[in-house]
Amino acid sequence: MDLNNDGHPDILSGSYADRKLPEMAGLYYILWGQEDGTFKKPETLTGTDGKPLIIAPAPDSKDKDQARICTRPTALDFTGDGNLDLVVGNFEGTFYLFKGQGHGKFSPQSTRIEIEGKALNTGSHSDPFFADLDGDGDLDLITGSDAGGIIMVENSAGKGNPIKLHHKITTLLPTVPREADSWIDDPRKPAAATRVSVADLNADGKLDLIFGDMAILVSPSQGTEKEIAKKGWEHFQKERLEISKAMAAAKKKSPEMKALVERSTKNYANKSELTSEKYTGFVWVMYQK
Protein backbone atom coordinates (compact mmCIF):
# COMPACT_ATOMS: atom_id res chain seq x y z
CA MET A 1 0.00 0.00 0.00
CA ASP A 2 1.10 3.59 -0.60
CA LEU A 3 0.45 5.03 2.84
CA ASN A 4 1.85 8.52 2.25
CA ASN A 5 0.68 9.01 -1.36
CA ASP A 6 4.18 9.49 -2.79
CA GLY A 7 3.73 6.88 -5.53
CA HIS A 8 5.87 4.24 -3.83
CA PRO A 9 4.50 1.13 -2.06
CA ASP A 10 5.17 1.00 1.68
CA ILE A 11 5.25 -1.90 4.16
CA LEU A 12 3.04 -1.64 7.25
CA SER A 13 3.26 -4.00 10.23
CA GLY A 14 1.86 -4.41 13.71
CA SER A 15 3.64 -6.04 16.64
CA TYR A 16 2.91 -8.12 19.71
CA ALA A 17 3.98 -5.77 22.49
CA ASP A 18 6.70 -3.28 23.38
CA ARG A 19 7.42 -3.94 27.06
CA LYS A 20 9.48 -0.75 27.39
CA LEU A 21 6.27 1.29 27.31
CA PRO A 22 4.52 2.35 30.54
CA GLU A 23 1.72 -0.08 29.64
CA MET A 24 1.73 -3.16 27.43
CA ALA A 25 0.92 -2.19 23.86
CA GLY A 26 1.64 -3.33 20.33
CA LEU A 27 3.05 -0.56 18.14
CA TYR A 28 2.89 -0.07 14.37
CA TYR A 29 5.92 0.02 12.13
CA ILE A 30 6.29 1.44 8.64
CA LEU A 31 8.98 0.90 6.00
CA TRP A 32 8.61 3.80 3.59
CA GLY A 33 9.10 2.84 -0.05
CA GLN A 34 11.71 4.60 -2.16
CA GLU A 35 11.96 5.44 -5.85
CA ASP A 36 14.47 2.64 -6.56
CA GLY A 37 12.13 -0.04 -5.17
CA THR A 38 13.92 -0.37 -1.85
CA PHE A 39 12.60 0.58 1.58
CA LYS A 40 13.83 2.83 4.35
CA LYS A 41 14.59 1.35 7.75
CA PRO A 42 11.48 0.56 9.82
CA GLU A 43 10.22 3.33 12.05
CA THR A 44 7.41 3.58 14.56
CA LEU A 45 4.23 4.98 13.07
CA THR A 46 3.15 8.03 15.05
CA GLY A 47 0.00 10.11 15.29
CA THR A 48 -0.30 13.80 14.49
CA ASP A 49 0.79 14.48 18.09
CA GLY A 50 4.19 12.91 17.35
CA LYS A 51 3.60 10.00 19.73
CA PRO A 52 3.38 6.30 18.74
CA LEU A 53 -0.10 5.15 17.78
CA ILE A 54 -1.53 3.03 20.62
CA ILE A 55 -5.04 1.64 20.94
CA ALA A 56 -7.04 3.33 23.71
CA PRO A 57 -9.26 0.47 24.95
CA ALA A 58 -13.00 1.10 25.19
CA PRO A 59 -14.25 1.52 28.79
CA ASP A 60 -15.96 -1.88 28.78
CA SER A 61 -12.91 -3.84 27.58
CA LYS A 62 -12.46 -6.81 29.92
CA ASP A 63 -8.67 -6.75 29.65
CA LYS A 64 -7.06 -3.44 28.65
CA ASP A 65 -3.72 -5.08 27.84
CA GLN A 66 -5.35 -7.56 25.46
CA ALA A 67 -7.05 -4.68 23.64
CA ARG A 68 -3.69 -2.96 23.04
CA ILE A 69 -1.40 -5.85 22.09
CA CYS A 70 -0.92 -8.15 19.08
CA THR A 71 -1.78 -5.36 16.64
CA ARG A 72 -2.69 -6.24 13.06
CA PRO A 73 -3.23 -3.18 10.85
CA THR A 74 -4.62 -2.67 7.38
CA ALA A 75 -5.04 0.64 5.54
CA LEU A 76 -8.10 1.71 3.55
CA ASP A 77 -10.47 4.64 3.26
CA PHE A 78 -12.92 3.50 5.93
CA THR A 79 -14.58 6.88 6.47
CA GLY A 80 -15.02 7.82 2.79
CA ASP A 81 -13.14 11.14 2.93
CA GLY A 82 -10.43 10.14 0.46
CA ASN A 83 -7.72 9.54 3.09
CA LEU A 84 -6.36 6.16 4.11
CA ASP A 85 -7.40 5.15 7.63
CA LEU A 86 -6.01 2.35 9.77
CA VAL A 87 -8.28 -0.48 10.87
CA VAL A 88 -6.45 -2.66 13.39
CA GLY A 89 -7.05 -5.99 15.07
CA ASN A 90 -5.70 -7.07 18.44
CA PHE A 91 -5.37 -9.91 20.95
CA GLU A 92 -8.80 -9.16 22.40
CA GLY A 93 -10.47 -9.89 19.06
CA THR A 94 -11.96 -6.43 18.58
CA PHE A 95 -11.26 -3.82 15.88
CA TYR A 96 -10.18 -0.19 16.24
CA LEU A 97 -9.99 2.73 13.81
CA PHE A 98 -7.29 5.40 13.56
CA LYS A 99 -8.69 8.08 11.27
CA GLY A 100 -6.35 9.16 8.48
CA GLN A 101 -5.39 12.80 7.92
CA GLY A 102 -3.73 12.19 4.55
CA HIS A 103 -0.12 11.64 3.44
CA GLY A 104 0.59 8.99 6.07
CA LYS A 105 -0.66 11.04 9.02
CA PHE A 106 -3.19 9.63 11.51
CA SER A 107 -5.24 10.90 14.41
CA PRO A 108 -3.74 9.69 17.71
CA GLN A 109 -7.21 8.82 19.02
CA SER A 110 -8.56 5.34 18.32
CA THR A 111 -12.23 4.40 18.06
CA ARG A 112 -13.59 0.89 18.56
CA ILE A 113 -15.60 -0.39 15.60
CA GLU A 114 -19.09 -1.38 16.66
CA ILE A 115 -22.25 -2.75 15.07
CA GLU A 116 -25.49 -1.36 16.42
CA GLY A 117 -23.72 -0.17 19.56
CA LYS A 118 -21.93 -3.45 20.31
CA ALA A 119 -18.27 -4.29 19.78
CA LEU A 120 -17.46 -6.49 16.82
CA ASN A 121 -15.42 -9.33 18.33
CA THR A 122 -13.90 -12.48 16.81
CA GLY A 123 -13.16 -13.97 20.23
CA SER A 124 -9.39 -13.48 20.01
CA HIS A 125 -6.71 -12.32 17.54
CA SER A 126 -8.70 -10.27 15.04
CA ASP A 127 -6.96 -9.81 11.69
CA PRO A 128 -8.82 -7.38 9.38
CA PHE A 129 -8.74 -7.58 5.60
CA PHE A 130 -11.14 -5.72 3.32
CA ALA A 131 -12.35 -6.82 -0.11
CA ASP A 132 -15.58 -6.85 -2.12
CA LEU A 133 -16.13 -10.53 -1.54
CA ASP A 134 -19.89 -10.50 -2.20
CA GLY A 135 -19.53 -8.51 -5.44
CA ASP A 136 -21.89 -5.64 -4.55
CA GLY A 137 -19.34 -2.88 -5.13
CA ASP A 138 -18.31 -2.07 -1.55
CA LEU A 139 -15.61 -3.45 0.74
CA ASP A 140 -16.52 -6.14 3.27
CA LEU A 141 -14.50 -7.14 6.34
CA ILE A 142 -12.90 -10.59 6.26
CA THR A 143 -11.03 -11.91 9.29
CA GLY A 144 -9.62 -15.03 10.88
CA SER A 145 -9.13 -15.63 14.59
CA ASP A 146 -7.13 -17.55 17.18
CA ALA A 147 -9.81 -20.26 17.11
CA GLY A 148 -9.39 -20.63 13.36
CA GLY A 149 -12.20 -20.16 10.90
CA ILE A 150 -12.95 -17.17 8.68
CA ILE A 151 -15.90 -14.81 8.81
CA MET A 152 -17.16 -12.04 6.54
CA VAL A 153 -18.88 -8.99 7.99
CA GLU A 154 -20.97 -7.42 5.25
CA ASN A 155 -20.62 -3.73 4.40
CA SER A 156 -24.14 -2.40 3.82
CA ALA A 157 -23.13 1.16 2.81
CA GLY A 158 -22.95 0.70 -0.95
CA LYS A 159 -20.24 1.73 -3.40
CA GLY A 160 -18.48 5.01 -2.70
CA ASN A 161 -19.93 5.51 0.79
CA PRO A 162 -18.23 5.35 4.21
CA ILE A 163 -18.08 1.74 5.37
CA LYS A 164 -21.00 0.61 7.51
CA LEU A 165 -20.63 -2.90 8.83
CA HIS A 166 -23.85 -4.87 9.02
CA HIS A 167 -24.95 -7.25 11.77
CA LYS A 168 -25.08 -9.98 9.12
CA ILE A 169 -21.99 -12.14 9.63
CA THR A 170 -21.25 -15.00 7.24
CA THR A 171 -19.11 -17.97 8.29
CA LEU A 172 -16.81 -18.81 5.39
CA LEU A 173 -14.83 -21.39 7.36
CA PRO A 174 -15.88 -22.78 10.77
CA THR A 175 -13.70 -22.46 13.85
CA VAL A 176 -12.05 -25.52 15.34
CA PRO A 177 -11.77 -26.72 18.95
CA ARG A 178 -8.29 -26.43 20.40
CA GLU A 179 -8.14 -30.20 20.95
CA ALA A 180 -8.70 -30.87 17.24
CA ASP A 181 -5.04 -31.40 16.43
CA SER A 182 -4.04 -33.65 13.55
CA TRP A 183 -2.08 -36.86 13.37
CA ILE A 184 0.93 -36.34 11.19
CA ASP A 185 0.04 -39.03 8.64
CA ASP A 186 -3.71 -38.30 8.40
CA PRO A 187 -5.48 -35.96 5.97
CA ARG A 188 -6.06 -32.68 7.75
CA LYS A 189 -8.19 -29.55 7.60
CA PRO A 190 -7.36 -25.91 8.42
CA ALA A 191 -6.56 -25.43 12.09
CA ALA A 192 -6.22 -22.46 14.45
CA ALA A 193 -4.78 -18.92 14.25
CA THR A 194 -6.04 -18.16 10.74
CA ARG A 195 -4.67 -15.12 8.88
CA VAL A 196 -6.46 -14.12 5.69
CA SER A 197 -5.79 -12.41 2.37
CA VAL A 198 -7.96 -12.18 -0.75
CA ALA A 199 -7.06 -12.34 -4.46
CA ASP A 200 -8.27 -13.84 -7.73
CA LEU A 201 -5.73 -16.67 -7.83
CA ASN A 202 -7.11 -18.59 -10.80
CA ALA A 203 -8.04 -15.53 -12.90
CA ASP A 204 -11.71 -16.48 -13.20
CA GLY A 205 -12.95 -13.07 -12.14
CA LYS A 206 -13.89 -14.21 -8.63
CA LEU A 207 -12.04 -13.41 -5.43
CA ASP A 208 -10.51 -16.36 -3.58
CA LEU A 209 -9.38 -16.74 0.04
CA ILE A 210 -5.71 -17.36 0.83
CA PHE A 211 -4.98 -18.01 4.48
CA GLY A 212 -2.44 -19.49 6.84
CA ASP A 213 -2.92 -21.36 10.10
CA MET A 214 -1.04 -22.76 13.09
CA ALA A 215 -1.23 -26.53 13.40
CA ILE A 216 -0.04 -29.15 15.86
CA LEU A 217 0.85 -32.45 14.20
CA VAL A 218 0.84 -35.39 16.59
CA SER A 219 2.77 -38.63 16.17
CA PRO A 220 3.43 -41.70 18.38
CA SER A 221 6.55 -41.58 20.50
CA GLN A 222 9.28 -43.99 19.45
CA GLY A 223 8.28 -47.56 20.19
CA THR A 224 4.58 -46.74 20.80
CA GLU A 225 1.89 -48.24 18.59
CA LYS A 226 -0.35 -45.68 16.96
CA GLU A 227 -3.62 -47.00 18.41
CA ILE A 228 -2.21 -46.89 21.93
CA ALA A 229 -0.86 -43.40 21.29
CA LYS A 230 -4.25 -42.24 19.99
CA LYS A 231 -6.07 -43.52 23.07
CA GLY A 232 -3.48 -41.81 25.26
CA TRP A 233 -3.90 -38.54 23.32
CA GLU A 234 -7.70 -38.68 23.67
CA HIS A 235 -7.34 -39.24 27.43
CA PHE A 236 -4.88 -36.35 27.67
CA GLN A 237 -7.25 -33.94 25.89
CA LYS A 238 -10.24 -34.98 28.02
CA GLU A 239 -8.21 -34.61 31.20
CA ARG A 240 -6.79 -31.26 30.06
CA LEU A 241 -10.25 -29.79 29.49
CA GLU A 242 -11.53 -31.03 32.84
CA ILE A 243 -8.52 -29.53 34.64
CA SER A 244 -8.87 -26.25 32.77
CA LYS A 245 -12.53 -25.89 33.79
CA ALA A 246 -11.73 -26.75 37.40
CA MET A 247 -8.87 -24.22 37.50
CA ALA A 248 -11.18 -21.49 36.24
CA ALA A 249 -13.45 -22.09 39.25
CA ALA A 250 -10.74 -22.63 41.87
CA LYS A 251 -9.21 -19.90 44.02
CA LYS A 252 -5.57 -18.96 43.45
CA LYS A 253 -3.06 -20.46 45.92
CA SER A 254 -5.78 -22.70 47.38
CA PRO A 255 -5.15 -26.41 48.17
CA GLU A 256 -7.55 -27.23 45.35
CA MET A 257 -5.53 -25.18 42.85
CA LYS A 258 -2.28 -26.82 44.04
CA ALA A 259 -3.80 -30.26 43.48
CA LEU A 260 -4.99 -29.25 40.02
CA VAL A 261 -1.51 -28.01 39.07
CA GLU A 262 -0.01 -31.34 40.16
CA ARG A 263 -2.70 -33.21 38.22
CA SER A 264 -1.96 -31.12 35.13
CA THR A 265 1.79 -31.77 35.39
CA LYS A 266 1.17 -35.51 35.64
CA ASN A 267 -1.23 -35.39 32.69
CA TYR A 268 1.38 -33.72 30.46
CA ALA A 269 4.08 -36.15 31.58
CA ASN A 270 1.88 -39.14 30.69
CA LYS A 271 1.12 -37.59 27.30
CA SER A 272 4.82 -37.09 26.54
CA GLU A 273 5.50 -40.80 27.10
CA LEU A 274 3.08 -41.77 24.33
CA THR A 275 3.11 -38.92 21.79
CA SER A 276 5.25 -36.13 20.39
CA GLU A 277 4.08 -32.90 18.76
CA LYS A 278 5.33 -30.73 15.94
CA TYR A 279 4.18 -27.13 15.65
CA THR A 280 3.89 -25.88 12.10
CA GLY A 281 1.60 -23.97 9.77
CA PHE A 282 0.13 -24.39 6.32
CA VAL A 283 -1.12 -22.12 3.55
CA TRP A 284 -4.62 -22.86 2.27
CA VAL A 285 -6.75 -21.68 -0.63
CA MET A 286 -10.53 -21.57 -0.91
CA TYR A 287 -11.62 -20.89 -4.48
CA GLN A 288 -14.86 -18.98 -4.84
CA LYS A 289 -17.45 -20.89 -6.85
Side-chain angles (χ1 to χ4, degrees):
M1 66 194 70
D2 182 5
L3 203 62
N4 57 359
N5 303 114
D6 66 354
H8 310 309
D10 309 305
I11 298 175
L12 174 67
S13 173
S15 63
Y16 188 85
D18 188 330
R19 297 183 182 275
K20 296 178 183 178
L21 297 170
E23 53 192 8
M24 283 187 66
L27 301 181
Y28 307 90
Y29 296 94
I30 187 73
L31 286 75
W32 298 113
Q34 303 185 98
E35 190 173 357
D36 62 358
T38 61
F39 297 89
K40 294 181 180 179
K41 292 183 179 180
E43 60 183 69
T44 303
L45 194 60
T46 59
T48 51
D49 61 355
K51 298 178 181 179
L53 291 176
I54 295 176
I55 291 173
D60 61 350
S61 289
K62 293 181 179 180
D63 188 315
K64 307 300 184 186
D65 286 344
Q66 288 190 5
R68 288 188 295 261
I69 65 174
C70 199
T71 53
R72 297 182 178 276
T74 189
L76 75 157
D77 183 8
F78 190 88
T79 58
D81 63 358
N83 297 322
L84 288 177
D85 308 300
L86 293 184
V87 174
V88 301
N90 56 20
F91 192 105
E92 181 184 52
T94 51
F95 301 84
Y96 282 79
L97 170 72
F98 290 97
K99 194 174 184 302
Q101 305 297 314
H103 302 287
K105 305 295 183 182
F106 299 92
S107 170
Q109 290 81 32
S110 63
T111 304
R112 189 174 65 184
I113 295 176
E114 300 180 349
I115 299 177
E116 298 180 351
K118 295 182 180 181
L120 174 62
N121 196 321
T122 67
S124 184
H125 291 202
S126 44
D127 183 43
F129 193 96
F130 286 83
D132 182 15
L133 204 58
D134 58 7
D136 64 355
D138 56 25
L139 298 177
D140 309 298
L141 170 62
I142 302 101
T143 180
S145 73
D146 185 56
I150 301 170
I151 63 169
M152 180 184 79
V153 185
E154 184 179 345
N155 176 9
S156 60
K159 187 176 181 180
N161 296 315
I163 290 176
K164 183 179 180 181
L165 296 178
H166 198 269
H167 66 272
K168 179 183 178 182
I169 297 177
T170 302
T171 298
L172 305 176
L173 180 74
T175 57
V176 296
R178 266 299 183 184
E179 62 270 22
D181 304 316
S182 298
W183 287 84
I184 199 164
D185 57 349
D186 288 344
R188 57 180 306 277
K189 296 180 180 180
T194 42
R195 301 290 175 258
V196 190
S197 185
V198 177
D200 181 6
L201 283 184
N202 56 358
D204 65 352
K206 300 175 183 178
L207 292 176
D208 310 305
L209 299 177
I210 310 101
F211 60 98
D213 68 357
M214 188 279 290
I216 302 175
L217 301 184
V218 186
S219 58
S221 295
Q222 187 172 5
T224 303
E225 294 182 6
K226 185 174 181 179
E227 289 306 312
I228 295 175
K230 276 193 168 185
K231 289 180 180 179
W233 181 258
E234 290 170 2
H235 175 77
F236 160 74
Q237 292 290 13
K238 182 180 178 181
E239 184 84 348
R240 183 181 66 84
L241 291 175
E242 289 179 359
I243 294 170
S244 179
K245 290 179 181 178
M247 282 183 167
K251 293 182 179 180
K252 293 181 179 179
K253 298 182 180 180
S254 66
E256 182 185 2
M257 179 62 78
K258 182 179 179 181
L260 287 168
V261 170
E262 292 175 354
R263 180 180 166 189
S264 178
T265 301
K266 183 178 179 180
N267 187 40
Y268 274 87
N270 291 339
K271 180 261 298 183
S272 298
E273 291 180 2
L274 298 176
T275 60
S276 60
E277 301 151 58
K278 177 183 179 182
Y279 286 77
T280 187
F282 295 86
V283 177
W284 302 83
V285 177
M286 291 175 64
Y287 291 104
Q288 189 171 172
K289 295 180 180 179

